[in-house]
């Protein structure tokens, strides 16, 4: 298959390697011309996942895409997704790797691909481990069963196991919401509040993700699967988790901007948190952890927030 991966960050780079290992003809599109030139000349990404050999890939800039791809894979920040999708040169299907919501509209990102067939890939997929060819499982969701099966066959391997799921709504909501919960989990780490507190937060985070999913018509079993519980666990615990790390830094006194600068990569939870909060308010769904993350980002002290959350009236689980 001829596949164009748009986005040369750590996830786009690692996924390009997954495709190359499966024998596909891969074009990697980078936004920065200097980055594209270095990758083309050396076969290595100078910024992200630098150990991955990309020598077999064709490298272009995003402004130089041609219409010969059979599949476009979008691994770009959520705030750029709609514009990038609109600029794709032809009607080939889109596979989204981006875990977030559109910050301008609050929409799920797959709604911005127009009339193209679309699929989304999610799950506990830390790019650093995929780059090292460590065993990984992912879930691929599409309303087009034929496309889902075709992509499952194209991607599945001995180190990258792919399951299919028709619940696009649930998979995309899980992918967005788990990053916000991971910010809070990182704050638990930054304040040294312990494993009990972190496990409780993750569990209650899954509960609020599930409530939102139910209100949006998602399947509840999606939230106990790879896209939900699986991705939430790894994002909240892994040392590679950018959102967890950002929450940790913010709890230690950095601003959100300082945390992003120190991490050096996109932290989707910071963009998604207010979008998710606004969506939940429109739907009348209570998301106390998400509300708390937004309150801290708006200037509330974490100590005050912790007292408020722990002081909530006890209820049934």
């Amino acid at each position: 298959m001829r596949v164009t991966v748009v986005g040369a960050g750590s996830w786009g780079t690692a996924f390009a390697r997954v495709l190359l290992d499966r024998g596909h003809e891969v074009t990697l599109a980078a936004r920065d011309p200097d980055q594209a030139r270095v990758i083309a000349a050396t076969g290595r990404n100078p910024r992200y996942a630098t150990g991955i050999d990309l020598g077999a890939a064709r490298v272009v800039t995003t402004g130089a895409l041609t219409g010969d791809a059979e599949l476009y894979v979008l691994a770009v920040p959520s705030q750029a997704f709609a514009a990038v999708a609109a600029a794709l040169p032809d009607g080939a299907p889109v596979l989204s790797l981006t875990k977030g919501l559109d910050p301008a509209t609050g929409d799920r990102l797959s709604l911005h691909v127009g009339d193209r067939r679309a699929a989304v890939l999610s799950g506990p997929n830390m790019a650093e481990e995929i780059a090292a060819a460590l065993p990984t499982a992912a879930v691929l969701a599409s309303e087009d069963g034929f496309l889902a099966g075709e992509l499952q066959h194209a991607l599945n391997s001995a180190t990258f196991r792919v399951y299919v799921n028709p619940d696009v709504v649930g998979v995309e909501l899980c992918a967005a919401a788990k990053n916000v919960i991971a910010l809070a989990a990182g704050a638990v780490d930054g304040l040294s509040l312990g494993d009990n507190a972190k496990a409780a937060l993750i569990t209650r985070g899954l509960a609020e993700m599930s409530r939102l999913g139910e209100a949006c018509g998602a399947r509840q079993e999606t939230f106990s699967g790879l896209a939900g519980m699986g991705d939430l666990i790894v994002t909240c615990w892994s040392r590679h988790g950018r959102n967890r790390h950002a929450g940790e830094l913010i709890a230690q006194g950095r601003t959100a901007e300082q945390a992003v600068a120190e991490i050096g990569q996109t932290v989707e939870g910071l963009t998604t948190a207010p979008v998710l909060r606004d969506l939940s308010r429109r739907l009348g769904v209570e998301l106390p952890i998400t509300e708390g993350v937004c309150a801290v980002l708006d200037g509330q002290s974490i100590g005050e927030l912790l007292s408020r959350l722990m002081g909530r009236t006890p209820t049934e689980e």
Side-chain angles (χ1 to χ4, degrees), residues 96 99 120-125 137-141 171-172 174-175 178 226-227 231:
S96 170
K99 298 182 178 183
V120 298
L121 185 85
S122 194
N125 303 149
V139 59
L140 193 149
V171 170
E172 286 193 284
C174 284
K178 59 90 184 180
L226 288 168
D231 203 6

Side-chain angles (χ1 to χ4, degrees), residues 181-258:
I181 305 302
L183 288 170
V188 171
D189 290 339
L191 296 173
S192 300
L193 297 180
D195 290 339
N196 289 342
K198 189 170 180 179
L201 182 137
I202 292 171
T203 305
R204 297 313 303 164
L206 183 61
E208 70 176 57
M209 288 167 56
S210 299
R211 285 197 299 273
L212 181 65
E214 182 177 11
C216 293
R219 295 168 50 176
Q220 284 300 293
E221 53 265 39
T222 298
F223 292 82
S224 62
L226 288 168
M229 181 172 63
D231 203 6
L232 180 64
I233 289 171
V234 78
T235 307
C236 290
W237 285 99
S238 174
R239 61 188 176 87
H240 300 302
R242 283 175 264 167
N243 293 278
R244 187 212 62 79
H245 191 191
E248 182 178 29
L249 293 174
I250 291 169
Q252 292 170 346
R254 275 76 147 192
T255 65
E257 293 75 17
Q258 289 169 337

Side-chain angles (χ1 to χ4, degrees), residues 34-45:
D34 291 334
Q35 183 187 18
R37 279 194 292 269
V38 173
I39 298 173
T42 67
R44 305 280 173 171
N45 191 326

Side-chain angles (χ1 to χ4, degrees), residues 89-116:
D90 60 33
V94 167
L95 174 62
S96 170
L97 306 187
T98 305
K99 298 182 178 183
L101 299 173
D102 182 71
T105 64
D107 291 337
R108 292 181 292 107
L109 297 178
S110 67
L111 298 177
H112 287 279
V113 302
D115 295 331
R116 299 170 188 268

